[in-house]
Amino acid sequence: MREELNNDSMSQPRAMTLQGARDRAAPAAAPQRTSHISFFLEKITLIRLYLQLIQAIAYLHRKASVSFQQLRVNFNLSKRPLVKLKETVNVFSLRTRTVYCVVKSFLVTTLVQLFIVAKCGVCVARSRCRRRCEVARLLFLLWLSACGGYSEGRRDNDLHIGGIFPMEGEGGWQGGQACMPAAELALADVNARSDLLSGFKLRLHSNDSKCEPGLGASVMYNLLYNPPQKLLLLAGCSTVCTTVAEAAKMWNLMVLCYGASSPALSDRSRFPTLFRTHPSATVHNPTRIKLMQKFAWSRIAILQQAEEVFISTVEDLEAHCKKAGIEIVTRQSFLSDPADAVRNLRRQDARVIVGLFYVVAARRVLCEVYKHRLYGKSYVWFFIGWYEDNWFETNLEREGIECTVEQMREAAEGHLTTEALMWNQNANQTTISGMTSEDFRSRLNEALREAGYDIDGERYPEGYQEAPLAYDAVWSVALAFNKTMEKLQKSGLSLKNFTYTNKKIADDIYEAINSTSFLGVSGLVAFSSQGDRIALTQIEQLTDNHYVKLGYYDTQADNLTWLDRERWVGGKVPPDRTVVVNELRTVSLPLFACMTALCIAGILAAIALIVFNIMHRHRRVIQWSHPACNTVMLCGCCVCLCAAVALGVDGRWVLPQHFNGLCAARAWLLATGFSMAYGAMFTKVWRVHRHTTKPKIDNKKRIHGWKLYTMVGGLLVVDVALLTAWQLRDPLQRRVETFPLEAPRHHDDDVHIRPELEHCESKHNTVWLGVMYGYKGLVLVFGLFLAYETRSVKVRQINDSRYVGMSIYNVVVLCLITAPVTLVIASQQDAAFAFVSLAIVFCCFLSMALIFVPKVIEVIRHPTERVESGRGSGSGSAPADEERYRELVKENEELQKLITQKEERIRVLKQKLAEREAAAADGVTQDVQDERI
């Protein structure tokens, strides 16, 4: 009895499973029903075969489009021409390895599908008694066919991880160029180990993020939403890792960053599933602080790129500097063009500068450093150490750098770098992979040579320093997965059970990574509680175009191992600031010596004239010029000349604590000397004016000698009163005027001169000067008026009145010119001193010459002149002569009045005579007329 398969009783979901095929009964049916089933399965299988072919064609088309797009981007062969040539070849080969896998998978699938179709054909020819077995067999083959369509990439012994590598781009860190080959080496080594992953193989699915966070997020979503399911993500570049790690927690995915140094990634609340084999950038800051303390740098500047990784690093550096007492003179940031920021560094006189930026921006910064001359023996630059060794020589034309390679080398010479140790320093120590760090370097170099990089010419790709971190990152993943699998096996689970919603397996992976510790090619690999790599810091200096290791710093132990290999441009440690030397501006020594010699000569001349005035006081030429006033005038000249010398005495000769006394001495000497010298001449001209305006005086009244000192004494009393009030209320004090910095005389860029000039000033200096100048100005103007009024008067008792008037003219003119000009040129010590001292010397010499030279000449011409008075007193005959003079003047006036009266009388008589003559003439004319009648 035949059993028929009832299609109506078969549900579609259960028909796709083996269990459903076994549990199903096979009722009797018509013979043609089996052929219908075979025909149905055959058609379905062919449809699946067509769909598989379309899928393969679409995949190849997508890969070809991407490859041709990269060909257009990479058409410029200036950057790594061998690599570009290889990429061009890859375009035409359509990525041979991937295409080979696709074609192989398609062929296998096609053979399976054809086998199913053949089975369907054979099934029709079989005996009807075997219908039930054939149906079951066909259903089983259909299940294999369904599974075969999705077999690509889903082999049971594969563990899939996603990789995000920054390969290309215009900015940021393109470290995937070296890190991706290192990761592929690690995959090969891990998969070759039979003691890892229990027969599973690690598979890496990667794409380029170009170090752009938006593109990195897109790559991550493509990895997550396209099969197969990923267990973990590898990522590089701080900005991309920040975006990926912040989002990956939503899928319970661990993120392991091989090239991210941003301190912000240490925030466990923000990035709970992040680990990184690259140490945090904050590990550099304690090292920088240690170096600054070692070389006694307490003033620095910071230049940063406007990226989160550098902003957070600078904030941490500022905290360390504040704690260490280091001043940050300026903090400059830039987005793409660092020209303005570097220019501001020069304006702020920054000498020790910490630079935080990606390598592309570093080349722009270095070119600007060369343009603004911020390098050499006076500057120290701290750069990030994870750049390639030749970073300042590569890609200059491609990036539009305007500096040549030689200029970049010159600007880069001597800079310091700090970097976490990324290579195992023990070259002979075997790591977990069975290689030493040098073995890994050799394998990596060989892989990069195959990729077209000029390794022999030291043209390393970007990310070469971080390549060991990428290698150890893959090993960290393998060891963590291995530990997780051992734990899951106890629960009857496997990593294949992981889904994006499986929190338990994600926690197990987290614990496995967190407890990972092994010796890798980058050194000891271990993670802190924040997921950061624990590592030492290496310090290097660029010397003769090669980096030289200077030492190592252990942050946790605060231990600096220094090798004493540093070499500074100029042979000495650059200072952290321009050394400002305060230099006191003093009067030129030759000028001071000349003026002092003139003043001393003037003082000696005045003393000689005083002796001459006393010795020849009995002579008429001396007696009639008021010798007492002459002596006072000469003493005043001596005091003024001493004041001129005091004006040239400054900080070169006097200590600052004694300078206030010098200021007071200057004021007293100049004021009193002027009053004595000018006051004596003023007294003479005033007496001449008095004689001419008041001639009627008592003939018996005598003018005593002490009255000659009254006018001078009055002027001195006013001076003493003003100077005493000034000294008590607001004394003159030393005030230092500072000037802008000046370049050093010996071309030393580290030293600048700040000139200083001492002045004698008080708080209300303008008020006191106004009072003093006003008082002296009135005396000068009044003396000028008196001299002008008596310019043509000759008085016998004052025989030198005209010369005194001429002296007053000169003194007034020079004083009125000197006083305002001195206020203007007060900041020019040589000009001010020369102007004032010459004015004083000229006034004194001219006054002495005008008043005494005629007298000296007269004495020389008449050396035997007799004494005017028997008393032998030069001043005894003066009153008699004055009385005689007054009598003669009075007599003259009386005679003039008498003459005036006589003339008036004569005029009246002449007028009367004329009237009489006119009257007589009229009478004669009348008589003549009468006679004619």
Side-chain angles (χ1 to χ4, degrees):
M1 186 176 200
R2 297 182 179 179
E3 296 180 358
E4 295 182 357
L5 182 62
N6 188 359
N7 261 348
D8 296 335
S9 63
M10 182 179 65
S11 62
Q12 186 176 356
R14 292 179 58 86
M16 298 296 294
T17 63
L18 182 60
Q19 185 66 31
R22 289 179 177 177
D23 294 341
R24 184 164 307 280
Q32 65 271 15
R33 191 69 60 89
T34 303
S35 62
H36 290 307
I37 295 175
S38 299
F39 178 79
F40 172 77
L41 292 176
E42 179 182 358
K43 294 301 182 182
I44 290 296
T45 305
L46 291 175
I47 292 173
R48 291 181 55 81
L49 182 60
Y50 297 151
L51 293 177
Q52 181 69 19
L53 177 60
I54 294 172
Q55 180 182 0
I57 294 173
Y59 179 82
L60 294 177
H61 180 267
R62 183 170 66 254
K63 290 297 182 181
S65 300
V66 173
S67 299
F68 279 108
Q69 183 178 1
Q70 291 182 353
L71 176 61
R72 289 193 297 271
V73 173
N74 299 329
F75 186 76
N76 183 9
L77 301 180
S78 60
K79 177 185 177 183
R80 300 191 305 276
L82 294 178
V83 178
K84 296 300 182 179
L85 182 60
K86 179 177 176 60
E87 292 179 355
T88 306
V89 173
N90 287 340
V91 169
F92 295 103
S93 63
L94 297 178
R95 297 188 177 181
T96 306
R97 180 182 302 177
T98 306
V99 174
Y100 171 74
C101 294
V102 172
V103 173
K104 182 179 68 174
S105 176
F106 172 71
L107 293 176
V108 172
T109 306
T110 303
L111 291 176
V112 173
Q113 301 290 342
L114 293 176
F115 174 75
I116 295 173
V117 174
K119 278 294 185 180
C120 291
V122 174
C123 182
V124 177
R126 294 289 178 90
S127 169
R128 292 187 178 182
C129 63
R130 301 174 59 186
R131 292 173 184 170
R132 182 175 298 179
C133 294
E134 291 300 327
V135 170
R137 183 181 297 176
L138 290 176
L139 291 177
F140 176 72
L141 292 175
L142 182 61
W143 177 78
L144 290 177
S145 175
C147 294
Y150 299 94
S151 63
E152 178 189 355
R154 281 203 173 187
R155 293 190 296 270
D156 291 338
N157 61 341
D158 286 346
L159 300 177
H160 302 277
I161 59 176
I164 304 175
F165 293 90
M167 303 294 294
E168 299 292 339
E170 298 299 328
W173 180 69
Q174 313 303 330
Q177 298 168 7
C179 289
M180 187 171 181
E184 292 175 349
L185 290 177
L187 281 174
D189 293 343
V190 167
N191 291 331
R193 292 280 293 267
S194 60
D195 57 340
L196 285 178
L197 303 177
S198 300
F200 285 86
K201 302 295 182 183
L202 276 182
R203 302 297 177 189
L204 177 63
H205 305 265
S206 63
N207 210 334
D208 184 10
S209 67
K210 298 184 179 180
C211 198
E212 297 178 3
L215 182 57
S218 176
V219 171
M220 181 191 70
Y221 292 141
N222 289 334
L223 290 173
L224 295 183
Y225 287 107
N226 290 328
Q229 186 166 263
K230 312 303 185 297
L231 299 175
L232 184 141
L233 293 178
L234 291 177
C237 180
S238 293
T239 55
V240 173
C241 288
T242 301
T243 303
V244 170
E246 200 165 14
K249 61 185 178 182
M250 307 303 297
W251 287 270
N252 294 315
L253 273 177
M254 300 299 112
V255 179
L256 186 56
C257 294
Y258 55 85
S261 61
S262 174
L265 297 175
S266 300
D267 187 358
R268 262 287 174 251
S269 60
R270 183 180 174 188
F271 309 101
T273 62
L274 173 69
F275 294 89
R276 48 181 169 171
T277 55
H278 195 297
S280 172
T282 55
V283 76
H284 301 270
N285 291 334
T287 308
R288 296 183 179 116
I289 297 297
K290 196 69 176 181
L291 288 178
M292 294 170 189
Q293 293 174 342
K294 175 178 175 59
F295 294 110
W297 294 326
S298 59
R299 181 178 182 270
I300 68 170
I302 299 174
L303 178 63
Q304 67 170 86
Q305 191 176 4
E307 297 285 352
E308 182 182 8
V309 55
F310 304 123
I311 294 174
S312 54
T313 303
V314 168
E315 292 174 353
D316 181 76
L317 179 59
E318 288 177 338
H320 281 83
C321 288
K322 184 177 181 180
K323 185 177 180 181
I326 297 175
E327 175 192 2
I328 299 178
V329 63
T330 183
R331 174 180 172 179
Q332 299 292 327
S333 62
F334 65 92
L335 186 60
S336 59
D337 185 8
D340 294 336
V342 175
R343 189 180 302 110
N344 291 335
L345 290 178
R346 185 170 186 84
R347 293 174 182 171
Q348 296 292 334
D349 190 34
R351 296 304 182 94
V352 181
I353 308 167
V354 179
L356 301 172
F357 24 71
Y358 287 119
V359 66
V360 176
R363 283 187 276 267
R364 299 193 188 102
V365 169
L366 193 61
C367 185
E368 294 297 329
V369 167
Y370 177 82
K371 292 178 181 178
H372 293 88
R373 315 300 295 177
L374 289 177
Y375 65 93
K377 62 180 180 180
S378 301
Y379 298 92
V380 178
W381 281 87
F382 283 83
F383 286 147
I384 300 174
W386 40 257
Y387 303 155
E388 292 70 41
D389 289 349
N390 60 340
W391 62 270
F392 50 88
E393 300 176 347
T394 59
N395 301 333
L396 299 184
E397 295 182 2
R398 178 179 179 274
E399 296 173 6
I401 305 300
E402 299 176 356
C403 298
T404 63
V405 174
E406 290 73 17
Q407 292 172 345
M408 298 287 280
R409 289 175 180 174
E410 182 180 354
E413 180 67 21
H415 75 260
L416 300 175
T417 64
T418 58
E419 62 174 322
L421 289 179
M422 301 180 186
W423 293 80
N424 193 339
Q425 299 303 302
N426 191 345
N428 299 321
Q429 189 175 20
T430 304
T431 64
I432 191 172
S433 63
M435 297 186 300
T436 64
S437 58
E438 290 302 318
D439 295 336
F440 169 73
R441 188 189 299 272
S442 300
R443 291 182 60 192
L444 178 63
N445 291 343
E446 184 62 29
L448 294 176
R449 287 191 191 95
E450 293 178 359
Y453 292 95
D454 186 12
I455 302 301
D456 297 329
E458 295 186 354
R459 300 293 180 178
Y460 298 101
E462 195 165 349
Y464 185 81
Q465 296 295 331
E466 293 78 9
L469 305 180
Y471 184 87
D472 287 343
V474 175
W475 271 94
S476 300
V477 173
L479 294 175
F481 283 176
N482 192 67
K483 187 178 297 185
T484 304
M485 292 174 65
E486 293 176 356
K487 184 176 181 180
L488 293 176
Q489 284 177 359
K490 299 177 181 179
S491 305
L493 299 175
S494 173
L495 285 175
K496 301 298 291 185
N497 300 116
F498 174 78
T499 61
Y500 297 143
T501 59
N502 195 325
K503 186 70 166 56
K504 181 181 181 305
I505 297 180
D507 292 340
D508 292 339
I509 297 175
Y510 176 89
E511 293 177 2
I513 298 177
N514 194 38
S515 60
T516 297
S517 178
F518 65 94
L519 182 62
V521 293
S522 64
L524 180 64
V525 179
F527 303 101
S528 66
S529 58
Q530 288 80 23
D532 293 337
R533 172 75 178 273
I534 302 173
L536 299 178
T537 309
Q538 176 179 274
I539 305 157
E540 292 182 323
Q541 183 184 39
L542 185 70
T543 303
D544 295 334
N545 205 32
H546 294 282
Y547 281 101
V548 177
K549 291 182 177 62
L550 302 183
Y552 305 95
Y553 180 63
D554 187 352
T555 306
Q556 294 181 342
D558 190 21
N559 180 31
L560 177 63
T561 302
W562 198 250
L563 304 179
D564 292 324
R565 297 177 181 174
E566 69 273 17
R567 192 173 71 182
W568 303 105
V569 179
K572 63 177 182 179
V573 178
D576 61 352
R577 68 195 72 196
T578 300
V579 178
V580 178
V581 178
N582 295 328
E583 184 179 85
L584 185 64
R585 285 185 174 178
T586 57
V587 176
S588 173
L589 190 58
L591 176 63
F592 178 71
C594 293
M595 300 311 302
T596 302
L598 287 176
C599 292
I600 293 175
I603 293 173
L604 294 177
I607 294 174
L609 291 176
I610 291 174
V611 173
F612 172 83
N613 190 59
I614 294 175
M615 289 180 61
H616 299 280
R617 64 185 180 275
H618 59 279
R619 289 179 175 269
R620 183 186 300 111
V621 67
I622 303 297
Q623 291 176 354
W624 289 355
S625 66
H626 287 287
C629 288
N630 293 339
T631 302
V632 173
M633 189 268 294
L634 291 173
C635 292
C637 289
C638 291
V639 176
C640 287
L641 292 174
C642 292
V645 176
L647 291 174
V649 177
D650 47 29
R652 176 185 294 167
W653 316 100
V654 180
L655 296 176
Q657 56 267 29
H658 300 152
F659 200 84
N660 293 343
L662 177 63
C663 293
R666 290 177 179 177
W668 282 86
L669 288 175
L670 191 59
T672 55
F674 175 82
S675 295
M676 292 174 66
Y678 183 79
M681 294 185 291
F682 181 82
T683 300
K684 284 188 177 184
V685 73
W686 176 76
R687 292 199 62 183
V688 172
H689 185 269
R690 183 172 178 271
H691 279 296
T692 56
T693 56
K694 295 183 179 181
K696 297 181 180 180
I697 58 175
D698 190 2
N699 293 334
K700 296 182 180 180
K701 184 177 180 180
R702 297 182 59 187
I703 300 178
H704 300 283
W706 61 269
K707 292 185 177 180
L708 301 176
Y709 302 97
T710 303
M711 185 66 67
V712 178
L715 296 176
L716 288 176
V717 169
V718 176
D719 284 339
V720 171
L722 287 176
L723 291 174
T724 302
W726 191 353
Q727 189 70 23
L728 294 178
R729 296 296 300 273
D730 190 12
L732 289 170
Q733 295 179 348
R734 177 179 181 266
R735 186 188 69 83
V736 178
E737 178 186 3
T738 58
F739 297 89
L741 295 177
E742 295 180 355
R745 299 183 180 89
H746 305 293
H747 304 286
D748 191 351
D749 296 336
D750 300 334
V751 178
H752 276 68
I753 298 173
R754 178 180 285 120
E756 294 180 344
L757 183 61
E758 296 172 313
H759 294 284
C760 293
E761 293 185 2
S762 57
K763 294 182 180 179
H764 306 285
N765 193 64
T766 305
V767 176
W768 293 107
L769 285 179
V771 173
M772 186 63 69
Y773 284 168
Y775 154 60
K776 297 293 183 181
L778 289 176
V779 175
L780 287 172
V781 172
F782 190 48
L784 181 65
F785 168 75
L786 294 179
Y788 179 78
E789 288 292 321
T790 60
R791 63 187 182 279
S792 60
V793 176
K794 293 183 179 180
V795 180
R796 182 184 178 188
Q797 288 83 355
I798 304 178
N799 58 6
D800 56 357
S801 60
R802 294 185 62 186
Y803 297 113
V804 171
M806 294 175 62
S807 299
I808 289 177
Y809 294 153
N810 293 323
V811 171
V812 171
V813 171
L814 287 175
C815 289
L816 293 179
I817 294 175
T818 304
V821 172
T822 303
L823 297 177
V824 175
I825 63 174
S827 298
Q828 305 175 27
Q829 72 282 2
D830 288 340
F833 171 68
F835 201 81
V836 175
S837 58
L838 283 176
I840 295 174
V841 169
F842 188 74
C843 288
C844 293
F845 274 84
L846 188 61
S847 299
M848 290 188 294
L850 288 173
I851 294 175
F852 281 96
V853 169
K855 295 178 177 59
V856 173
I857 294 174
E858 181 67 21
V859 171
I860 293 175
R861 287 180 178 179
H862 304 87
T864 59
E865 182 179 352
R866 297 180 62 184
V867 181
E868 291 290 328
S869 176
R871 294 177 297 176
S873 173
S875 62
S877 62
D881 293 339
E882 291 180 0
E883 290 293 334
R884 179 62 180 167
Y885 171 74
R886 289 171 184 170
E887 291 175 358
L888 292 175
V889 170
K890 183 177 180 181
E891 184 178 355
N892 185 33
E893 291 177 353
E894 291 177 355
L895 291 175
Q896 287 180 353
K897 289 180 180 180
L898 182 60
I899 291 172
T900 302
Q901 292 175 0
K902 296 298 183 180
E903 289 179 350
E904 181 67 20
R905 180 64 179 167
I906 292 172
R907 186 183 65 77
V908 173
L909 292 174
K910 287 182 177 179
Q911 185 177 3
K912 290 180 179 181
L913 181 60
E915 290 176 355
R916 290 179 181 180
E917 290 178 352
D922 293 338
V924 172
T925 304
Q926 187 66 30
D927 292 338
V928 172
Q929 291 178 355
D930 292 341
E931 290 177 358
R932 290 178 179 178
I933 296 174

